[in-house]
Amino acid sequence: MLRSQNATLHERLDEQYGLEGIVGQSPAIRDLLVKIKQVANSNIPVLITGESGTGKELIAQAIHQNSPRAKRTFKPVNCAGLSEGILESELFGHVRGAFTNAERDRQGVFEFADKGTLFLDEIGDMPSAMQAKLLRVLESGEVVRVGANEPKHVDVRLVSATNHDLAQRVEEKEFRGDLYFRIRGVELHLPALRERTEDIPLLVAHYIPRFAAQANMEPPTVDQDTMLALQAYDWPGNVRQLINTIQQMVVVCDGDRLEPRHLPMEIRPTAGASTGSVAEIKSGMSLDQLEKQAIREALRIHAGNREAAAKMLGIGERTLYRKLKEYGLK
């Protein structure tokens, strides 16, 4: 059933947007897909924000693939953890003899991605001196290799990403305000997985066949308790963590169905835990999140019986149906 729903969704998204690979039907993802399509045809810089593991590079690739530059180069560069000297050479290139071990001329990624798209991931971690050099390139459209004097013109669409609050870092003097406004032509926010748990069944259905094929096995199904546990977990590592979890579960599966015993220990429901409590209150949860979790738990306790779940929650069946639709629950 999940695989059928996922295939239908992909056909619909591919037909409307050509955004294969982005899995989800939550309001946040649908809104994001529309915005990607809107910004893709322009050359305006795009800043993608969101926590680590949410899939920001996938969004950058979708922007590129839906743009007039789709047949040219898409080049990602991670700015985190690179020293100023290494990052400068990576971005702008260098000439022979510019520094020790520079034995030949080297093209930087701005030149390599000419007429294409350059994706600067974790731009909020870029050293401050490099921020000024990047701003100069973005304003002039010209790069100068390290150790050279002759500028080279480049035509590059810039897409950046960060898991930092750049506006706050500007206030704290950790990031240049002029660069921030230069790269933030349009800002796209990618929500955390815990904020779109209705997409988890689709993501599970999308990745199970892939990992099953790698393991040379038939794709297992997922029982209800396992899916509820996946949807109840907070996913601090977001989609990246979910993908790794699915792979691990498929590899250790010893039958034709994924069950709670196949879950990693940190996700597995606690043995002997009471099922009488409708929802576990966690720090930082909104009222909507509490309500959604309460509905999921009531349905789990009553094995999907909506009439019994509605009685347990103290609401009418029509109200429950409306809430299920509102939260994207099945």
Side-chain angles (χ1 to χ4, degrees), residues 177-202:
D178 45 8
L179 178 59
Y180 170 58
F181 290 112
R182 186 81 188 189
I183 64 175
R184 186 179 173 261
V186 173
E187 182 174 337
L188 300 180
H189 180 69
L190 192 52
L193 185 57
R194 64 180 174 275
E195 298 170 358
R196 56 182 187 105
T197 54
E198 59 266 48
D199 289 334
I200 290 177
L202 292 172

Side-chain angles (χ1 to χ4, degrees), residues 139-199:
E139 290 179 338
S140 67
E142 294 180 335
V143 298
V144 178
R145 294 184 181 183
V146 178
N149 295 313
E150 188 71 23
K152 295 179 179 290
H153 180 77
V154 291
D155 173 17
V156 172
R157 168 75 176 283
L158 182 69
V159 179
S160 309
T162 182
N163 59 9
H164 294 295
D165 183 340
L166 284 190
Q168 180 178 343
R169 288 179 72 84
V170 168
E171 290 183 5
E172 296 170 349
K173 310 299 182 183
E174 295 292 331
F175 198 84
R176 292 180 64 104
D178 45 8
L179 178 59
Y180 170 58
F181 290 112
R182 186 81 188 189
I183 64 175
R184 186 179 173 261
V186 173
E187 182 174 337
L188 300 180
H189 180 69
L190 192 52
L193 185 57
R194 64 180 174 275
E195 298 170 358
R196 56 182 187 105
T197 54
E198 59 266 48
D199 289 334

